[in-house]
Amino acid sequence: QTISITHTNESTKTIAAVKYLIVVYNVYGEELKQYGYGSSSVIATYDDFDTRPSSQNTGDWALKGFNDGKSVCIYVYSVYFTDGTEYGNRNLSSNTIKQFAPKTSVYGSR
């Protein structure tokens, strides 16, 4: 399975990178573990192109080992700007990200 995430820059600064925590769930809403025994989340970083104010970019990530995934929660926990400032904190643990970072839930299909 592949996930595509589009971010829109609503700030007045240019974005250099965005970090996401992606948590995959089965049809029952339970967190899946990668390959049945691994991690229950994926860290994804978009840094392919700078995102200027009022613009958007899309990144694609393969969710290898999460074949039975039916939905995901996407947490945005760091936005790094070209001027060196950061919104959020790129050094957070998964549990802290889940508690405090902005989240979007997405239900998908194969």
Side-chain angles (χ1 to χ4, degrees), residues 10-84:
E10 297 177 355
S11 77
T12 58
K13 301 177 182 184
T14 299
I15 295 173
V18 180
K19 290 188 88 58
Y20 306 99
L21 176 74
I22 302 166
V23 182
V24 184
Y25 298 90
N26 66 17
V27 70
Y28 296 104
E30 302 163 336
E31 284 187 21
L32 284 178
K33 296 224 180 257
Q34 189 176 30
Y35 299 109
Y37 58 84
S39 176
S40 63
S41 61
V42 174
I43 299 287
T45 302
Y46 180 88
D47 59 0
D48 293 343
F49 301 100
D50 288 349
T51 308
R52 296 174 192 240
S54 301
S55 298
Q56 61 184 12
N57 277 315
T58 301
D60 298 312
W61 294 272
L63 297 178
K64 295 179 182 179
F66 293 99
N67 295 339
D68 294 327
K70 297 296 181 191
S71 65
V72 297
C73 283
I74 304 165
Y75 298 85
V76 177
Y77 68 97
S78 173
V79 178
Y80 187 76
F81 298 97
T82 56
D83 67 0

